[in-house]
Amino acid sequence: MERLIKSVQTIKEEEYGRASEKFGPVNNSDHESFAVLFEEMQEAFDEVKNTDGAIQQFWQMVKSKEARDQDKQSVLTAVENSAIFAACEFIQVAAMAYKANKTIQQRLEK
């Protein structure tokens, strides 16, 4: 897990870099920081709901014992994809929290 955390931290910094190039290295205000964080969190929650729905669908297939393996594979692919999308959204949440912290740090240094 430790290696995964380090990898995610690196990806977070890369995402911060991409966002900085597009929108600047800091936010204009704490209100902007909140708005960006809130938006990213909502997108992450949407993906978590998608993942949960696909897992529930798989569980129904497992319980029914009548589902075809090809259909199960299709649902599991949906679980995998939505979990990856959720992870990406949460990385964006982390990157925007990092940016909000930099915003405050810049203000403290003035």
Side-chain angles (χ1 to χ4, degrees):
M1 183 76 147
E2 189 176 312
R3 283 178 54 192
L4 179 59
I5 291 169
K6 286 181 181 178
S7 294
V8 171
Q9 288 172 334
T10 298
I11 294 168
K12 174 212 61 176
E13 290 171 11
E14 290 171 1
E15 179 59 23
Y16 165 74
R18 281 189 289 277
S20 292
E21 286 177 17
K22 192 170 183 179
F23 302 108
V26 296
N27 294 314
N28 295 311
S29 68
D30 291 345
H31 285 89
E32 181 181 11
S33 293
F34 171 78
V36 171
L37 280 167
F38 186 78
E39 177 186 1
E40 294 302 338
M41 181 61 88
Q42 289 301 309
E43 291 170 357
F45 284 161
D46 289 344
E47 288 302 334
V48 168
K49 289 176 191 172
N50 291 340
T51 306
D52 180 61
I55 290 172
Q56 294 303 321
Q57 185 178 2
F58 178 68
W59 177 233
Q60 293 305 315
M61 293 172 139
V62 169
K63 290 192 307 184
S64 77
K65 298 180 184 176
E66 296 177 13
R68 298 177 334 138
D69 283 342
Q70 294 87 343
D71 295 333
K72 290 177 187 175
Q73 284 182 310
S74 177
V75 171
L76 290 169
T77 297
V79 170
E80 181 181 351
N81 290 336
S82 59
I84 288 170
F85 292 146
C88 291
E89 292 294 346
F90 278 111
I91 287 168
Q92 288 182 326
V93 170
M96 293 306 97
Y98 184 74
K99 183 176 181 177
N101 238 333
K102 285 190 166 293
T103 301
I104 293 170
Q105 186 62 40
Q106 183 185 60
R107 191 169 59 234
L108 290 171
E109 291 172 359
K110 286 185 176 180

